[in-house]
Amino acid sequence: DIQMTQSPSTLSASVGDRVTITCRASQSISGWLAWYQQKPGKAPKLLIYRASSLESGVPSRFSGSGSGTEFTLTISSLQPDDFATYYCQQYNRYSWTFGQGTKVEIK
Amino acid sequence: EVQLVESGGGLVKPGGSLRLSCGASGFTFSSYSMNWVRQAPGKGLEWVSYISSSSSTIYYADSVKGRFTISRDNAKNSLYLQMSSLRADDTAVYYCARWSGSYSSFDYWGQGTLATVSS
């Protein structure tokens, strides 16, 4: 099975900061990677699909990049509503794996 | 508006069974593959099971294979997860999630239902 490793596990940042979260796959997954945001007690919300495509309705301050085994989620200017946990997710041949999550906290 | 509403969670003893349901509305349910994803308390997300739109293709995570059964009723716009031989480590919030094959992502999620396995 493909393993997904996110870093960092926790990130402390201030409103207005540029934030980058990294997700590494144990083998190449081409571009089949998605990013989700989850707030406490809520279901995950899709932000980015196919590594770099922004889901409809998601603010443009979110962006994704990468291919192969290394991917990043960037928030260009952190807003109060962005403090949450972020997960990457890969799909490969009917196998789905999530990263362990990155919690973005208020500094 | 797409809506997914899970139900059926509760407290069950180890070795027991539970059946989760997910009602779908706001889209053509029979055209989409569906999944169950779970989240243990304070932990990350874990994919559990996949079922294709026609039920012809089904997959399970190794952790639940042989104990859980996914099914769907397209006439009732409903997804199910029959869970048996439950263990304490099956305790989690269970989400149903729509699979967008074109975008290789879970594009809509329900609010989740909590299944607690404890004596």
PDB file of all heavy atoms in Angstrom, chain A residues 11-47:
ATOM      1  N   LEU A  11       1.479  23.155  12.971  1.00  0.00           N
ATOM      2  CA  LEU A  11       2.071  24.382  12.448  1.00  0.00           C
ATOM      3  C   LEU A  11       1.430  25.551  13.188  1.00  0.00           C
ATOM      4  O   LEU A  11       0.209  25.659  13.213  1.00  0.00           O
ATOM      5  CB  LEU A  11       1.778  24.437  10.950  1.00  0.00           C
ATOM      6  CG  LEU A  11       2.384  25.492  10.055  1.00  0.00           C
ATOM      7  CD1 LEU A  11       2.303  25.009   8.603  1.00  0.00           C
ATOM      8  CD2 LEU A  11       1.654  26.804  10.172  1.00  0.00           C
ATOM      9  N   SER A  12       2.251  26.402  13.776  1.00  0.00           N
ATOM     10  CA  SER A  12       1.745  27.596  14.447  1.00  0.00           C
ATOM     11  C   SER A  12       2.009  28.806  13.551  1.00  0.00           C
ATOM     12  O   SER A  12       3.153  29.013  13.127  1.00  0.00           O
ATOM     13  CB  SER A  12       2.430  27.794  15.795  1.00  0.00           C
ATOM     14  OG  SER A  12       2.113  26.739  16.671  1.00  0.00           O
ATOM     15  N   ALA A  13       0.972  29.555  13.254  1.00  0.00           N
ATOM     16  CA  ALA A  13       1.108  30.679  12.342  1.00  0.00           C
ATOM     17  C   ALA A  13       0.161  31.802  12.736  1.00  0.00           C
ATOM     18  O   ALA A  13      -0.778  31.598  13.516  1.00  0.00           O
ATOM     19  CB  ALA A  13       0.829  30.223  10.904  1.00  0.00           C
ATOM     20  N   SER A  14       0.419  32.966  12.171  1.00  0.00           N
ATOM     21  CA  SER A  14      -0.391  34.152  12.461  1.00  0.00           C
ATOM     22  C   SER A  14      -1.229  34.512  11.246  1.00  0.00           C
ATOM     23  O   SER A  14      -0.898  34.133  10.103  1.00  0.00           O
ATOM     24  CB  SER A  14       0.509  35.332  12.816  1.00  0.00           C
ATOM     25  OG  SER A  14       1.326  35.024  13.930  1.00  0.00           O
ATOM     26  N   VAL A  15      -2.303  35.243  11.484  1.00  0.00           N
ATOM     27  CA  VAL A  15      -3.128  35.747  10.386  1.00  0.00           C
ATOM     28  C   VAL A  15      -2.241  36.558   9.441  1.00  0.00           C
ATOM     29  O   VAL A  15      -1.428  37.378   9.882  1.00  0.00           O
ATOM     30  CB  VAL A  15      -4.282  36.596  10.927  1.00  0.00           C
ATOM     31  CG1 VAL A  15      -5.036  37.268   9.776  1.00  0.00           C
ATOM     32  CG2 VAL A  15      -5.248  35.729  11.738  1.00  0.00           C
ATOM     33  N   GLY A  16      -2.378  36.263   8.158  1.00  0.00           N
ATOM     34  CA  GLY A  16      -1.594  36.941   7.143  1.00  0.00           C
ATOM     35  C   GLY A  16      -0.354  36.174   6.708  1.00  0.00           C
ATOM     36  O   GLY A  16       0.247  36.508   5.679  1.00  0.00           O
ATOM     37  N   ASP A  17       0.047  35.164   7.462  1.00  0.00           N
ATOM     38  CA  ASP A  17       1.236  34.378   7.115  1.00  0.00           C
ATOM     39  C   ASP A  17       0.984  33.538   5.870  1.00  0.00           C
ATOM     40  O   ASP A  17      -0.140  33.126   5.587  1.00  0.00           O
ATOM     41  CB  ASP A  17       1.623  33.433   8.257  1.00  0.00           C
ATOM     42  CG  ASP A  17       2.311  34.139   9.399  1.00  0.00           C
ATOM     43  OD1 ASP A  17       2.605  35.343   9.274  1.00  0.00           O
ATOM     44  OD2 ASP A  17       2.567  33.467  10.435  1.00  0.00           O
ATOM     45  N   ARG A  18       2.073  33.246   5.163  1.00  0.00           N
ATOM     46  CA  ARG A  18       2.050  32.265   4.080  1.00  0.00           C
ATOM     47  C   ARG A  18       2.391  30.912   4.694  1.00  0.00           C
ATOM     48  O   ARG A  18       3.383  30.785   5.411  1.00  0.00           O
ATOM     49  CB  ARG A  18       3.071  32.637   3.001  1.00  0.00           C
ATOM     50  CG  ARG A  18       3.101  31.694   1.808  1.00  0.00           C
ATOM     51  CD  ARG A  18       4.163  32.153   0.818  1.00  0.00           C
ATOM     52  NE  ARG A  18       4.228  31.319  -0.368  1.00  0.00           N
ATOM     53  CZ  ARG A  18       3.496  31.517  -1.450  1.00  0.00           C
ATOM     54  NH1 ARG A  18       2.629  32.516  -1.490  1.00  0.00           N
ATOM     55  NH2 ARG A  18       3.621  30.720  -2.499  1.00  0.00           N
ATOM     56  N   VAL A  19       1.559  29.931   4.419  1.00  0.00           N
ATOM     57  CA  VAL A  19       1.696  28.616   5.050  1.00  0.00           C
ATOM     58  C   VAL A  19       1.846  27.547   3.977  1.00  0.00           C
ATOM     59  O   VAL A  19       1.118  27.559   2.976  1.00  0.00           O
ATOM     60  CB  VAL A  19       0.447  28.324   5.925  1.00  0.00           C
ATOM     61  CG1 VAL A  19       0.374  26.870   6.317  1.00  0.00           C
ATOM     62  CG2 VAL A  19       0.454  29.218   7.164  1.00  0.00           C
ATOM     63  N   THR A  20       2.785  26.628   4.193  1.00  0.00           N
ATOM     64  CA  THR A  20       2.988  25.526   3.252  1.00  0.00           C
ATOM     65  C   THR A  20       3.004  24.212   3.997  1.00  0.00           C
ATOM     66  O   THR A  20       3.702  24.066   5.011  1.00  0.00           O
ATOM     67  CB  THR A  20       4.305  25.697   2.473  1.00  0.00           C
ATOM     68  OG1 THR A  20       4.242  26.896   1.711  1.00  0.00           O
ATOM     69  CG2 THR A  20       4.514  24.516   1.521  1.00  0.00           C
ATOM     70  N   ILE A  21       2.218  23.268   3.515  1.00  0.00           N
ATOM     71  CA  ILE A  21       2.145  21.919   4.069  1.00  0.00           C
ATOM     72  C   ILE A  21       2.614  20.948   2.985  1.00  0.00           C
ATOM     73  O   ILE A  21       2.219  21.083   1.819  1.00  0.00           O
ATOM     74  CB  ILE A  21       0.709  21.576   4.506  1.00  0.00           C
ATOM     75  CG1 ILE A  21       0.232  22.549   5.596  1.00  0.00           C
ATOM     76  CG2 ILE A  21       0.616  20.137   4.997  1.00  0.00           C
ATOM     77  CD1 ILE A  21      -1.260  22.468   5.882  1.00  0.00           C
ATOM     78  N   THR A  22       3.439  19.990   3.373  1.00  0.00           N
ATOM     79  CA  THR A  22       4.003  19.040   2.414  1.00  0.00           C
ATOM     80  C   THR A  22       3.434  17.647   2.638  1.00  0.00           C
ATOM     81  O   THR A  22       3.198  17.230   3.775  1.00  0.00           O
ATOM     82  CB  THR A  22       5.529  18.996   2.540  1.00  0.00           C
ATOM     83  OG1 THR A  22       6.053  20.283   2.232  1.00  0.00           O
ATOM     84  CG2 THR A  22       6.138  17.969   1.596  1.00  0.00           C
ATOM     85  N   CYS A  23       3.229  16.947   1.543  1.00  0.00           N
ATOM     86  CA  CYS A  23       2.739  15.563   1.584  1.00  0.00           C
ATOM     87  C   CYS A  23       3.626  14.734   0.659  1.00  0.00           C
ATOM     88  O   CYS A  23       3.795  15.079  -0.518  1.00  0.00           O
ATOM     89  CB  CYS A  23       1.286  15.521   1.124  1.00  0.00           C
ATOM     90  SG  CYS A  23       0.502  13.904   1.223  1.00  0.00           S
ATOM     91  N   ARG A  24       4.207  13.668   1.204  1.00  0.00           N
ATOM     92  CA  ARG A  24       5.079  12.803   0.416  1.00  0.00           C
ATOM     93  C   ARG A  24       4.487  11.405   0.325  1.00  0.00           C
ATOM     94  O   ARG A  24       4.051  10.837   1.332  1.00  0.00           O
ATOM     95  CB  ARG A  24       6.471  12.736   1.031  1.00  0.00           C
ATOM     96  CG  ARG A  24       7.265  14.015   0.877  1.00  0.00           C
ATOM     97  CD  ARG A  24       8.708  13.888   1.360  1.00  0.00           C
ATOM     98  NE  ARG A  24       9.465  15.087   1.078  1.00  0.00           N
ATOM     99  CZ  ARG A  24       9.527  16.160   1.864  1.00  0.00           C
ATOM    100  NH1 ARG A  24       8.828  16.158   3.000  1.00  0.00           N
ATOM    101  NH2 ARG A  24      10.244  17.204   1.533  1.00  0.00           N
ATOM    102  N   ALA A  25       4.494  10.859  -0.879  1.00  0.00           N
ATOM    103  CA  ALA A  25       3.989   9.512  -1.117  1.00  0.00           C
ATOM    104  C   ALA A  25       5.139   8.523  -1.152  1.00  0.00           C
ATOM    105  O   ALA A  25       6.250   8.859  -1.574  1.00  0.00           O
ATOM    106  CB  ALA A  25       3.226   9.465  -2.438  1.00  0.00           C
ATOM    107  N   SER A  26       4.874   7.289  -0.715  1.00  0.00           N
ATOM    108  CA  SER A  26       5.926   6.266  -0.665  1.00  0.00           C
ATOM    109  C   SER A  26       6.296   5.767  -2.066  1.00  0.00           C
ATOM    110  O   SER A  26       7.326   5.103  -2.229  1.00  0.00           O
ATOM    111  CB  SER A  26       5.490   5.105   0.225  1.00  0.00           C
ATOM    112  OG  SER A  26       4.289   4.528  -0.259  1.00  0.00           O
ATOM    113  N   GLN A  27       5.446   6.050  -3.048  1.00  0.00           N
ATOM    114  CA  GLN A  27       5.771   5.778  -4.448  1.00  0.00           C
ATOM    115  C   GLN A  27       4.989   6.745  -5.306  1.00  0.00           C
ATOM    116  O   GLN A  27       4.087   7.423  -4.813  1.00  0.00           O
ATOM    117  CB  GLN A  27       5.452   4.320  -4.819  1.00  0.00           C
ATOM    118  CG  GLN A  27       3.991   3.954  -4.743  1.00  0.00           C
ATOM    119  CD  GLN A  27       3.755   2.471  -4.945  1.00  0.00           C
ATOM    120  OE1 GLN A  27       4.003   1.660  -4.055  1.00  0.00           O
ATOM    121  NE2 GLN A  27       3.279   2.113  -6.126  1.00  0.00           N
ATOM    122  N   SER A  28       5.339   6.821  -6.562  1.00  0.00           N
ATOM    123  CA  SER A  28       4.711   7.800  -7.436  1.00  0.00           C
ATOM    124  C   SER A  28       3.211   7.577  -7.574  1.00  0.00           C
ATOM    125  O   SER A  28       2.745   6.445  -7.762  1.00  0.00           O
ATOM    126  CB  SER A  28       5.349   7.745  -8.824  1.00  0.00           C
ATOM    127  OG  SER A  28       4.701   8.638  -9.689  1.00  0.00           O
ATOM    128  N   ILE A  29       2.467   8.672  -7.444  1.00  0.00           N
ATOM    129  CA  ILE A  29       1.008   8.608  -7.603  1.00  0.00           C
ATOM    130  C   ILE A  29       0.564   9.535  -8.732  1.00  0.00           C
ATOM    131  O   ILE A  29      -0.597   9.916  -8.802  1.00  0.00           O
ATOM    132  CB  ILE A  29       0.282   8.981  -6.293  1.00  0.00           C
ATOM    133  CG1 ILE A  29       0.709  10.370  -5.797  1.00  0.00           C
ATOM    134  CG2 ILE A  29       0.534   7.923  -5.229  1.00  0.00           C
ATOM    135  CD1 ILE A  29      -0.117  10.871  -4.620  1.00  0.00           C
ATOM    136  N   SER A  30       1.494   9.889  -9.587  1.00  0.00           N
ATOM    137  CA  SER A  30       1.207  10.836 -10.664  1.00  0.00           C
ATOM    138  C   SER A  30       0.602  12.091 -10.027  1.00  0.00           C
ATOM    139  O   SER A  30       1.197  12.667  -9.150  1.00  0.00           O
ATOM    140  CB  SER A  30       0.282  10.202 -11.696  1.00  0.00           C
ATOM    141  OG  SER A  30       0.882   9.070 -12.271  1.00  0.00           O
ATOM    142  N   GLY A  31      -0.587  12.473 -10.456  1.00  0.00           N
ATOM    143  CA  GLY A  31      -1.202  13.675  -9.880  1.00  0.00           C
ATOM    144  C   GLY A  31      -2.472  13.400  -9.130  1.00  0.00           C
ATOM    145  O   GLY A  31      -3.263  14.313  -8.881  1.00  0.00           O
ATOM    146  N   TRP A  32      -2.666  12.127  -8.731  1.00  0.00           N
ATOM    147  CA  TRP A  32      -3.934  11.763  -8.091  1.00  0.00           C
ATOM    148  C   TRP A  32      -3.903  12.069  -6.599  1.00  0.00           C
ATOM    149  O   TRP A  32      -3.909  11.173  -5.758  1.00  0.00           O
ATOM    150  CB  TRP A  32      -4.254  10.282  -8.320  1.00  0.00           C
ATOM    151  CG  TRP A  32      -4.262   9.887  -9.763  1.00  0.00           C
ATOM    152  CD1 TRP A  32      -3.495   8.930 -10.357  1.00  0.00           C
ATOM    153  CD2 TRP A  32      -5.061  10.472 -10.801  1.00  0.00           C
ATOM    154  NE1 TRP A  32      -3.776   8.876 -11.701  1.00  0.00           N
ATOM    155  CE2 TRP A  32      -4.730   9.800 -12.004  1.00  0.00           C
ATOM    156  CE3 TRP A  32      -6.027  11.485 -10.845  1.00  0.00           C
ATOM    157  CZ2 TRP A  32      -5.326  10.111 -13.225  1.00  0.00           C
ATOM    158  CZ3 TRP A  32      -6.616  11.785 -12.059  1.00  0.00           C
ATOM    159  CH2 TRP A  32      -6.265  11.106 -13.224  1.00  0.00           C
ATOM    160  N   LEU A  33      -3.873  13.365  -6.301  1.00  0.00           N
ATOM    161  CA  LEU A  33      -3.795  13.791  -4.918  1.00  0.00           C
ATOM    162  C   LEU A  33      -4.808  14.877  -4.642  1.00  0.00           C
ATOM    163  O   LEU A  33      -5.005  15.778  -5.460  1.00  0.00           O
ATOM    164  CB  LEU A  33      -2.398  14.323  -4.578  1.00  0.00           C
ATOM    165  CG  LEU A  33      -2.275  14.640  -3.099  1.00  0.00           C
ATOM    166  CD1 LEU A  33      -1.455  13.592  -2.367  1.00  0.00           C
ATOM    167  CD2 LEU A  33      -1.730  16.023  -2.839  1.00  0.00           C
ATOM    168  N   ALA A  34      -5.455  14.769  -3.473  1.00  0.00           N
ATOM    169  CA  ALA A  34      -6.430  15.772  -3.053  1.00  0.00           C
ATOM    170  C   ALA A  34      -6.067  16.291  -1.663  1.00  0.00           C
ATOM    171  O   ALA A  34      -5.351  15.630  -0.904  1.00  0.00           O
ATOM    172  CB  ALA A  34      -7.832  15.169  -3.033  1.00  0.00           C
ATOM    173  N   TRP A  35      -6.553  17.487  -1.368  1.00  0.00           N
ATOM    174  CA  TRP A  35      -6.368  18.102  -0.048  1.00  0.00           C
ATOM    175  C   TRP A  35      -7.736  18.428   0.548  1.00  0.00           C
ATOM    176  O   TRP A  35      -8.632  18.894  -0.152  1.00  0.00           O
ATOM    177  CB  TRP A  35      -5.558  19.385  -0.167  1.00  0.00           C
ATOM    178  CG  TRP A  35      -4.115  19.209  -0.501  1.00  0.00           C
ATOM    179  CD1 TRP A  35      -3.547  19.287  -1.745  1.00  0.00           C
ATOM    180  CD2 TRP A  35      -3.050  18.944   0.412  1.00  0.00           C
ATOM    181  NE1 TRP A  35      -2.198  19.073  -1.656  1.00  0.00           N
ATOM    182  CE2 TRP A  35      -1.862  18.874  -0.345  1.00  0.00           C
ATOM    183  CE3 TRP A  35      -2.966  18.774   1.800  1.00  0.00           C
ATOM    184  CZ2 TRP A  35      -0.611  18.623   0.233  1.00  0.00           C
ATOM    185  CZ3 TRP A  35      -1.736  18.524   2.372  1.00  0.00           C
ATOM    186  CH2 TRP A  35      -0.574  18.450   1.603  1.00  0.00           C
ATOM    187  N   TYR A  36      -7.861  18.204   1.853  1.00  0.00           N
ATOM    188  CA  TYR A  36      -9.102  18.462   2.576  1.00  0.00           C
ATOM    189  C   TYR A  36      -8.814  19.314   3.811  1.00  0.00           C
ATOM    190  O   TYR A  36      -7.738  19.223   4.405  1.00  0.00           O
ATOM    191  CB  TYR A  36      -9.765  17.155   3.033  1.00  0.00           C
ATOM    192  CG  TYR A  36     -10.064  16.204   1.904  1.00  0.00           C
ATOM    193  CD1 TYR A  36      -9.098  15.329   1.436  1.00  0.00           C
ATOM    194  CD2 TYR A  36     -11.315  16.205   1.282  1.00  0.00           C
ATOM    195  CE1 TYR A  36      -9.357  14.459   0.382  1.00  0.00           C
ATOM    196  CE2 TYR A  36     -11.585  15.346   0.233  1.00  0.00           C
ATOM    197  CZ  TYR A  36     -10.602  14.482  -0.203  1.00  0.00           C
ATOM    198  OH  TYR A  36     -10.870  13.635  -1.263  1.00  0.00           O
ATOM    199  N   GLN A  37      -9.803  20.101   4.192  1.00  0.00           N
ATOM    200  CA  GLN A  37      -9.763  20.877   5.430  1.00  0.00           C
ATOM    201  C   GLN A  37     -10.815  20.299   6.372  1.00  0.00           C
ATOM    202  O   GLN A  37     -11.949  20.037   5.946  1.00  0.00           O
ATOM    203  CB  GLN A  37     -10.093  22.342   5.129  1.00  0.00           C
ATOM    204  CG  GLN A  37     -10.172  23.239   6.352  1.00  0.00           C
ATOM    205  CD  GLN A  37     -10.808  24.581   6.014  1.00  0.00           C
ATOM    206  OE1 GLN A  37     -11.993  24.667   5.696  1.00  0.00           O
ATOM    207  NE2 GLN A  37     -10.018  25.646   6.081  1.00  0.00           N
ATOM    208  N   GLN A  38     -10.455  20.115   7.624  1.00  0.00           N
ATOM    209  CA  GLN A  38     -11.422  19.638   8.601  1.00  0.00           C
ATOM    210  C   GLN A  38     -11.367  20.492   9.863  1.00  0.00           C
ATOM    211  O   GLN A  38     -10.298  20.702  10.424  1.00  0.00           O
ATOM    212  CB  GLN A  38     -11.192  18.173   8.967  1.00  0.00           C
ATOM    213  CG  GLN A  38     -12.300  17.610   9.848  1.00  0.00           C
ATOM    214  CD  GLN A  38     -12.085  16.154  10.225  1.00  0.00           C
ATOM    215  OE1 GLN A  38     -10.964  15.697  10.414  1.00  0.00           O
ATOM    216  NE2 GLN A  38     -13.184  15.403  10.350  1.00  0.00           N
ATOM    217  N   LYS A  39     -12.534  20.948  10.280  1.00  0.00           N
ATOM    218  CA  LYS A  39     -12.651  21.686  11.532  1.00  0.00           C
ATOM    219  C   LYS A  39     -13.252  20.769  12.591  1.00  0.00           C
ATOM    220  O   LYS A  39     -13.942  19.799  12.248  1.00  0.00           O
ATOM    221  CB  LYS A  39     -13.501  22.936  11.314  1.00  0.00           C
ATOM    222  CG  LYS A  39     -12.839  23.904  10.351  1.00  0.00           C
ATOM    223  CD  LYS A  39     -13.646  25.167  10.147  1.00  0.00           C
ATOM    224  CE  LYS A  39     -12.905  26.098   9.193  1.00  0.00           C
ATOM    225  NZ  LYS A  39     -13.657  27.342   8.941  1.00  0.00           N
ATOM    226  N   PRO A  40     -12.994  21.049  13.869  1.00  0.00           N
ATOM    227  CA  PRO A  40     -13.456  20.150  14.950  1.00  0.00           C
ATOM    228  C   PRO A  40     -14.952  19.870  14.879  1.00  0.00           C
ATOM    229  O   PRO A  40     -15.760  20.794  14.738  1.00  0.00           O
ATOM    230  CB  PRO A  40     -13.097  20.930  16.218  1.00  0.00           C
ATOM    231  CG  PRO A  40     -11.923  21.752  15.823  1.00  0.00           C
ATOM    232  CD  PRO A  40     -12.184  22.163  14.397  1.00  0.00           C
ATOM    233  N   GLY A  41     -15.299  18.591  14.938  1.00  0.00           N
ATOM    234  CA  GLY A  41     -16.693  18.178  14.933  1.00  0.00           C
ATOM    235  C   GLY A  41     -17.379  18.241  13.590  1.00  0.00           C
ATOM    236  O   GLY A  41     -18.591  18.014  13.503  1.00  0.00           O
ATOM    237  N   LYS A  42     -16.626  18.539  12.539  1.00  0.00           N
ATOM    238  CA  LYS A  42     -17.199  18.669  11.196  1.00  0.00           C
ATOM    239  C   LYS A  42     -16.602  17.653  10.246  1.00  0.00           C
ATOM    240  O   LYS A  42     -15.533  17.097  10.500  1.00  0.00           O
ATOM    241  CB  LYS A  42     -16.949  20.084  10.652  1.00  0.00           C
ATOM    242  CG  LYS A  42     -17.548  21.188  11.497  1.00  0.00           C
ATOM    243  CD  LYS A  42     -19.065  21.149  11.501  1.00  0.00           C
ATOM    244  CE  LYS A  42     -19.651  22.349  12.222  1.00  0.00           C
ATOM    245  NZ  LYS A  42     -21.138  22.291  12.265  1.00  0.00           N
ATOM    246  N   ALA A  43     -17.296  17.435   9.138  1.00  0.00           N
ATOM    247  CA  ALA A  43     -16.781  16.558   8.101  1.00  0.00           C
ATOM    248  C   ALA A  43     -15.669  17.257   7.328  1.00  0.00           C
ATOM    249  O   ALA A  43     -15.627  18.491   7.255  1.00  0.00           O
ATOM    250  CB  ALA A  43     -17.898  16.168   7.144  1.00  0.00           C
ATOM    251  N   PRO A  44     -14.774  16.501   6.738  1.00  0.00           N
ATOM    252  CA  PRO A  44     -13.753  17.103   5.870  1.00  0.00           C
ATOM    253  C   PRO A  44     -14.412  17.805   4.681  1.00  0.00           C
ATOM    254  O   PRO A  44     -15.507  17.429   4.237  1.00  0.00           O
ATOM    255  CB  PRO A  44     -12.924  15.906   5.406  1.00  0.00           C
ATOM    256  CG  PRO A  44     -13.145  14.863   6.443  1.00  0.00           C
ATOM    257  CD  PRO A  44     -14.568  15.055   6.886  1.00  0.00           C
ATOM    258  N   LYS A  45     -13.699  18.808   4.177  1.00  0.00           N
ATOM    259  CA  LYS A  45     -14.163  19.580   3.029  1.00  0.00           C
ATOM    260  C   LYS A  45     -13.078  19.548   1.971  1.00  0.00           C
ATOM    261  O   LYS A  45     -11.907  19.823   2.253  1.00  0.00           O
ATOM    262  CB  LYS A  45     -14.440  21.022   3.453  1.00  0.00           C
ATOM    263  CG  LYS A  45     -14.759  21.971   2.324  1.00  0.00           C
ATOM    264  CD  LYS A  45     -14.817  23.416   2.831  1.00  0.00           C
ATOM    265  CE  LYS A  45     -14.957  24.407   1.688  1.00  0.00           C
ATOM    266  NZ  LYS A  45     -14.911  25.808   2.165  1.00  0.00           N
ATOM    267  N   LEU A  46     -13.466  19.223   0.738  1.00  0.00           N
ATOM    268  CA  LEU A  46     -12.506  19.165  -0.365  1.00  0.00           C
ATOM    269  C   LEU A  46     -12.034  20.569  -0.729  1.00  0.00           C
ATOM    270  O   LEU A  46     -12.840  21.466  -0.955  1.00  0.00           O
ATOM    271  CB  LEU A  46     -13.152  18.498  -1.572  1.00  0.00           C
ATOM    272  CG  LEU A  46     -12.322  18.417  -2.847  1.00  0.00           C
ATOM    273  CD1 LEU A  46     -11.073  17.546  -2.634  1.00  0.00           C
ATOM    274  CD2 LEU A  46     -13.162  17.870  -4.015  1.00  0.00           C
ATOM    275  N   LEU A  47     -10.704  20.735  -0.807  1.00  0.00           N
ATOM    276  CA  LEU A  47     -10.116  22.011  -1.206  1.00  0.00           C
ATOM    277  C   LEU A  47      -9.501  21.939  -2.604  1.00  0.00           C
ATOM    278  O   LEU A  47      -9.728  22.812  -3.443  1.00  0.00           O
ATOM    279  CB  LEU A  47      -9.010  22.417  -0.231  1.00  0.00           C
ATOM    280  CG  LEU A  47      -9.354  22.635   1.226  1.00  0.00           C
ATOM    281  CD1 LEU A  47      -8.070  22.920   2.012  1.00  0.00           C
ATOM    282  CD2 LEU A  47     -10.346  23.783   1.378  1.00  0.00           C
TER     283      LEU A  47
END
